[in-house]
């Protein structure tokens, strides 16, 4: 009887394990999940940072051995939480890029490789933190990340711009795909000779010009981010300038969309 | 109505035999089971396990249906839809291409693109880099 029970338990256990493993494998790290992880770690960092500030103030005021030890402990926890925030943020950014439309696979892979390198660096840094034996060592460890974070920010803004530009690129591609069948229809109408196609033909040329301008604005956005310096203190506002260019690219796409509708109305209306 | 003479009134003897065979086999199996207490316990255990799984399935189904009913009952207030005016005027004198399938298909695609362009958000504020304190020092 015992033997049967053991066999039954083993079979059920194996089935449960296979089911759980299959489910875990089928679940990719989606952006929403990665983002929730980042937000959670940001909360932990804020708490650790607040504790660090209190411990630091106590140490600077009293300078006792206990306050020094407390400051060291709090600093270590805060630095670990800070590294964790950077790591989870980069992971969320990677997941968002993975889901981004209008970005080529090659471009994605190139950026994935750069993000992965930074994630590995921060993991190694986080693992090395507990070996710090003094406050001075912890300050040095903190400065390592400070010096490294400038180039990381450049990468972050590059990825964010790529995601934003991908959105307009996807829309522009859809409009360009419409131009083929539209041109075919205009040529057919012209051949039939029962309708003047001058307005429609001119409209198509205007659309092509607007789409070209849209692409130029996207290139401009990339150029702005490309020129960003790692030491720049106003990276966020530079990124906003890049987004303004993407916004202008979107405006051209909207205008060409409106022109497309005008052409269709013209085709559907008797002369 | 008369029954034709060639239709048999009694069942064929073969089916009777089959039934007897099955009965005999069942009787033998039950006797074997009674004689082997180990086998009997295994069967009782398997029966109980199936019973429990079946009961869990029923409970799960009922719970799921109840939850579904609750979800349906939750009605969130939504604003009264307002009539929107089309950007382009209605075509009063249509050409022969007004009902052309290719033209209508292009129109649908363009409408979809314009709708997506109108609702596109290029600024993902939630993904701005985190604000972190890098000025760690212990000097007054």
């Amino acid at each position: 009887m015992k033997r049967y029970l053991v066999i039954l338990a083993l079979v059920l256990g194996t089935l449960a394990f296979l089911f759980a493993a299959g489910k875990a494998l089928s679940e990719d790290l989606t952006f929403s999940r990665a983002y929730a992880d980042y937000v959670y770690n940001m909360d932990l960092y804020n708490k650790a940072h607040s504790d660090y500030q209190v411990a630091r103030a106590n140490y600077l005021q009293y300078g006792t051995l206990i306050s020094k030890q407390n400051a060291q402990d709090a600093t270590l926890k805060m630095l670990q939480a800070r590294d964790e925030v950077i790591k989870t943020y980069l992971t969320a950014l990677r997941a968002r890029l993975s889901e981004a439309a209008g970005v080529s696979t090659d471009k994605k892979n190139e950026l994935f490789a750069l993000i992965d390198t930074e994630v590995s660096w921060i993991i190694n840094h986080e693992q090395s933190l507990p070996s710090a034996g003094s406050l001075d060592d912890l300050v040095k460890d903190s400065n390592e990340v400070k010096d490294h974070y400038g180039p990381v920010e450049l990468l972050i803004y590059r990825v964010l711009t790529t995601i934003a530009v991908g959105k307009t690129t996807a829309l522009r591609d859809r409009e360009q795909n419409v131009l083929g069948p539209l041109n075919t229809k205009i040529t057919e109408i012209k051949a039939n000779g029962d309708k003047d196609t001058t307005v429609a033909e001119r409209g198509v040329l205007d659309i092509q010009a607007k789409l070209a301008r849209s692409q130029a604005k996207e290139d401009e956005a990339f150029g702005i981010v490309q020129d960003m310096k790692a030491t720049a203190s106003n990276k966020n506002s530079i990124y906003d300038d890049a987004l303004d260019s993407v916004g202008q690219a979107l405006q051209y796409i909207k205008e060409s969309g409106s022109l497309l509708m005008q052409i269709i109305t013209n085709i559907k209306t008797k002369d | 109505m008369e029954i034709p003479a060639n239709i048999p009134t009694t069942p064929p003897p073969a089916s009777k035999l089959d039934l007897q065979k099955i009965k005999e086999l069942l009787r033998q199996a039950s006797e074997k089971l009674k004689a082997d207490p180990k086998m009997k316990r295994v069967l009782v255990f398997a029966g109980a396990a199936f019973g429990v799984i079946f009961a869990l399935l029923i409970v799960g189904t009922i719970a799921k249906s109840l939850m579904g009913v609750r979800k349906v009952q939750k009605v969130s207030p939504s604003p009264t839809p307002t009539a929107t005016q089309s950007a382009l005027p209605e075509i009063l004198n249509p050409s022969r291409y007004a009902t052309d399938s290719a033209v209508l298909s292009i129109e649908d695609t363009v409408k979809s693109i314009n709708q997506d362009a109108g609702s596109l958000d290029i600024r993902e504020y939630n993904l701005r880099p985190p604000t972190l304190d890098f000025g760690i020092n212990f000097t007054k």
Side-chain angles (χ1 to χ4, degrees):
Chain A
M1 184 67 182
K2 257 185 184 175
R3 200 178 56 180
Y4 289 117
L5 275 173
V6 169
I7 290 167
L8 190 72
L10 277 173
V11 169
L12 287 174
T14 311
L15 283 173
F17 173 76
L18 287 174
F19 177 73
K23 207 177 172 187
L25 281 173
S26 68
E27 273 180 4
D28 290 332
L29 185 67
T30 58
F31 168 65
S32 56
R33 205 173 136 191
Y35 184 73
D37 197 21
Y38 157 59
V39 171
Y40 172 72
N41 277 287
M42 192 70 203
D43 284 347
L44 292 182
Y45 165 74
N46 286 332
K47 169 82 177 58
H49 186 257
S50 165
D51 292 345
Y52 150 76
Q53 281 180 316
V54 172
R56 178 182 179 274
N58 283 340
Y59 170 61
L60 291 178
Q61 189 175 353
Y62 304 114
T64 60
L65 277 174
I66 292 173
S67 66
K68 189 178 183 182
Q69 187 57 48
N70 286 344
Q72 194 173 323
D73 293 345
T75 307
L76 173 64
K77 274 186 186 169
M78 188 274 287
L79 292 182
Q80 283 173 323
R82 196 179 67 184
D83 281 358
E84 201 61 26
V85 167
I86 297 170
K87 188 183 83 183
T88 51
Y89 171 78
L90 288 172
T91 308
L93 191 67
R94 192 190 196 282
R96 178 66 192 85
L97 176 65
S98 172
E99 293 174 4
V103 184
S104 71
T105 311
D106 285 348
K107 184 86 179 171
K108 279 184 184 178
N109 287 337
E110 180 200 332
L111 293 170
F112 285 160
L114 294 170
I115 294 171
D116 293 346
T117 306
E118 295 307 337
V119 169
S120 299
W121 189 91
I122 208 77
I123 287 171
N124 286 337
H125 183 269
E126 193 183 343
Q127 283 170 350
S128 72
L129 284 172
S131 63
S134 66
L135 273 177
D136 285 346
D137 284 350
L138 285 173
V139 171
K140 274 179 198 162
D141 286 345
S142 173
N143 288 339
E144 272 178 16
V145 181
K146 185 185 176 183
D147 296 341
H148 194 79
Y149 198 63
V152 172
E153 272 188 310
L154 289 187
L155 173 64
I156 289 168
Y157 285 116
R158 205 177 142 198
V159 173
L160 287 174
T161 308
T162 305
I163 293 167
V165 169
K167 290 175 182 177
T168 50
T169 304
L171 274 179
R172 197 181 51 252
D173 286 350
R174 283 166 72 190
E175 284 192 350
Q176 258 158 353
N177 288 341
V178 164
L179 286 181
L182 185 64
N183 272 327
T184 309
K185 185 46 75 180
I186 292 169
T187 309
E188 185 192 316
I189 295 167
K190 198 175 181 179
N192 290 342
D194 55 358
K195 183 161 174 48
D196 183 16
T197 55
T198 316
V199 175
E201 284 171 298
R202 206 186 302 135
V204 169
L205 289 176
D206 285 348
I207 288 167
Q208 281 166 339
K210 282 190 185 298
L211 292 182
R213 282 188 181 278
S214 153
Q215 181 144 24
K217 285 288 167 191
E218 288 175 0
D219 294 343
E220 193 179 288
F222 278 128
I224 291 169
V225 174
Q226 202 71 41
D227 291 343
M228 198 188 273
K229 298 276 181 287
T231 50
S233 56
N234 61 338
K235 291 191 193 79
N236 208 26
S237 70
I238 294 172
Y239 169 61
D240 277 331
D241 291 345
L243 282 185
D244 285 345
S245 289
V246 182
Q248 286 165 23
L250 177 62
Q251 189 53 37
Y252 279 122
I253 290 166
K254 283 179 181 172
E255 285 171 15
S256 58
S258 173
L259 275 175
L260 275 168
M261 277 313 290
Q262 284 174 32
I263 293 171
I264 291 159
T265 308
N266 176 268
I267 289 171
K268 288 172 79 179
T269 311
K270 203 184 266 182
D271 286 338
Chain B
M1 203 174 148
E2 276 183 39
I3 299 163
N6 59 346
I7 292 176
T9 50
T10 53
S15 62
K16 262 187 179 177
L17 269 174
D18 285 350
L19 269 174
Q20 277 173 357
K21 263 186 182 176
I22 291 164
K23 274 181 186 172
E24 183 60 26
L25 280 169
L26 281 171
R27 194 182 57 75
Q28 280 174 4
S30 104
E31 272 174 13
K32 267 186 186 174
L33 199 67
K34 279 174 190 169
D36 187 359
K38 227 178 189 180
M39 195 67 184
K40 196 179 174 184
R41 264 183 286 169
V42 169
L43 274 176
V44 167
F45 178 75
F50 274 113
V52 169
I53 290 165
F54 190 65
L56 282 173
L57 277 174
I58 289 170
V59 170
T61 314
I62 292 167
K64 204 178 173 186
S65 66
L66 280 174
M67 279 167 79
V69 168
R70 274 183 203 157
K71 267 183 195 168
V72 170
Q73 282 170 344
K74 272 186 188 173
V75 178
S76 57
S78 59
T80 313
T82 50
T84 51
Q85 205 175 355
S86 171
L88 290 165
E90 202 180 323
I91 296 161
L92 297 171
N93 51 341
S95 69
R96 60 177 280 211
Y97 302 102
T99 52
D100 186 290
S101 62
V103 174
L104 294 176
S105 166
I106 294 168
E107 186 180 18
D108 283 346
T109 311
V110 173
K111 275 182 181 170
S112 164
I113 294 169
N114 288 348
Q115 205 173 353
D116 291 347
S119 61
L120 194 70
D121 172 30
I122 52 165
R123 292 171 193 272
E124 295 193 44
Y125 285 107
N126 60 341
L127 265 183
R128 295 272 171 145
T131 308
L132 301 167
D133 182 6
F134 289 106
I136 308 302
N137 66 76
F138 288 89
T139 49
K140 281 184 186 174

